[in-house]
């Protein structure tokens, strides 16, 4: 196979994101990414064998950047930043969650996509559990592990995003204010138990 133009995989992921924003997931193709990036379609195929593989890398890139940003926060800031980050991706036209859920549906018929998404979810759950352990010395509810809290938080974020995608007038701001109140109250329970 010929060597690709001098463009990195990371740059192509950046152009793929721009293509998704510009054209939407419905018109997203490897050819469209090549046009946005100003490279040949062969260059795209050199780095990514399928559209789904490129989309997985886009999702992974978004997740990694989000987790890096959240992990750099301190204590209570972790909670606020995580909620703010989740809320920013929770909308009726969120391309991130459309992309994520489209890949999830594709994974029902494609074992490679399923394995990649499962690995990504494990990493997200682990990152959330690690951040929760920075916030809470122990679980606010006896018998529920911090690992389980990480899984529950990720499920909550994905579930709210799904509802926002389906319901145009979903009250994102109000719901996330209540989510923040819930987790502040859970943090208070941890503090009270520690006294």
């Amino acid at each position: 196979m010929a060597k690709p133009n001098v463009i990195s995989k990371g740059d192509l992921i950046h152009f793929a994101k721009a293509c998704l924003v510009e054209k939407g997931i419905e018109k997203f193709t490897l050819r469209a990414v090549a046009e946005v990036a100003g490279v040949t379609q062969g260059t795209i195929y050199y780095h990514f064998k399928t559209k789904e593989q490129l989309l997985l890398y886009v999702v992974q890139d978004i997740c990694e950047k989000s987790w890096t940003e959240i992990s750099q926060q301190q204590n209570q800031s972790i909670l606020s930043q995580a909620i703010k980050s989740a809320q920013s991706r929770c909308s009726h036209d969120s391309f991130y969650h459309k992309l994520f859920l489209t890949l999830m549906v594709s994974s029902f018929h494609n074992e490679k996509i399923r394995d990649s998404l499962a690995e990504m979810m494990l990493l997200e759950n682990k990152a959330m559990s690690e951040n929760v352990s920075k916030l809470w010395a122990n679980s606010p509810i006896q018998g529920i592990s911090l690992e389980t809290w990480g899984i529950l938080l990720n499920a909550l974020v994905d579930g709210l995003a799904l509802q926002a995608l389906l319901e145009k007038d979903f009250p994102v701001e109000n719901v996330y204010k209540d989510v923040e109140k819930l987790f502040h109250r859970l943090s208070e329970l941890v503090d009270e138990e520690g006294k």
Side-chain angles (χ1 to χ4, degrees):
M1 181 174 271
K3 287 209 172 215
N5 296 351
V6 181
I7 191 164
S8 71
K9 198 176 223 180
D11 287 340
L12 289 176
I13 292 168
H14 170 77
F15 285 117
K17 287 182 202 174
C19 184
L20 279 165
V21 170
E22 181 183 319
K23 300 183 183 297
I25 196 166
E26 299 80 14
K27 295 180 182 176
F28 181 85
T29 63
L30 294 179
R31 178 179 291 188
V33 174
E35 288 172 9
V36 170
V39 298
T40 66
Q41 198 169 345
T43 298
I44 304 293
Y45 280 111
Y46 180 85
H47 291 285
F48 306 100
K49 304 300 179 225
T50 65
K51 175 173 93 169
E52 290 76 16
Q53 183 186 32
L54 175 54
L55 291 173
L56 279 168
Y57 275 91
V58 168
V59 168
Q60 190 170 19
D61 184 68
I62 293 168
C63 288
E64 286 173 1
K65 285 181 178 168
S66 177
W67 284 115
T68 298
E69 189 177 301
I70 291 167
S71 294
Q72 293 172 349
Q73 302 298 314
Q74 298 296 319
N75 298 332
Q76 289 296 328
S77 298
I78 291 172
L79 177 62
S80 296
Q81 184 62 34
I83 290 171
K84 184 176 160 185
S85 177
Q87 182 177 350
S88 74
R89 293 187 311 271
C90 186
S91 67
H92 185 64
D93 57 354
S94 167
F95 89 83
Y96 170 78
H97 280 100
K98 281 183 186 176
L99 173 58
F100 179 74
L101 293 167
T102 298
L103 285 170
M104 190 176 288
V105 170
S106 296
S107 78
F108 298 147
H109 304 288
N110 184 319
E111 198 70 29
K112 284 184 180 181
I113 294 174
R114 183 181 298 179
D115 291 344
S116 294
L117 284 177
E119 185 177 324
M120 197 179 313
M121 297 284 287
L122 286 172
L123 291 173
E124 279 197 346
N125 290 339
K126 181 180 179 197
M128 183 57 88
S129 296
E130 288 171 358
N131 284 306
V132 165
S133 69
K134 290 179 188 176
L135 183 62
W136 299 335
N138 48 35
S139 177
I141 299 174
Q142 189 174 3
I144 299 177
S145 69
L146 294 178
E147 291 78 20
T148 298
W149 280 111
I151 293 167
L152 290 172
L153 286 168
N154 281 331
L156 175 69
V157 167
D158 291 340
L160 292 175
L162 177 60
Q163 290 185 53
L165 283 171
L166 295 174
E167 183 184 333
K168 189 173 187 161
D169 296 324
F170 185 75
V172 173
E173 195 169 315
N174 291 336
V175 168
Y176 271 93
K177 280 181 187 175
D178 289 345
V179 167
E180 190 162 12
K181 286 178 195 173
L182 170 69
F183 284 97
H184 280 298
R185 180 62 187 129
L186 290 169
S187 293
E188 290 170 1
L189 289 173
V190 170
D191 292 342
E192 290 168 9
E193 190 175 296
K195 291 179 182 178

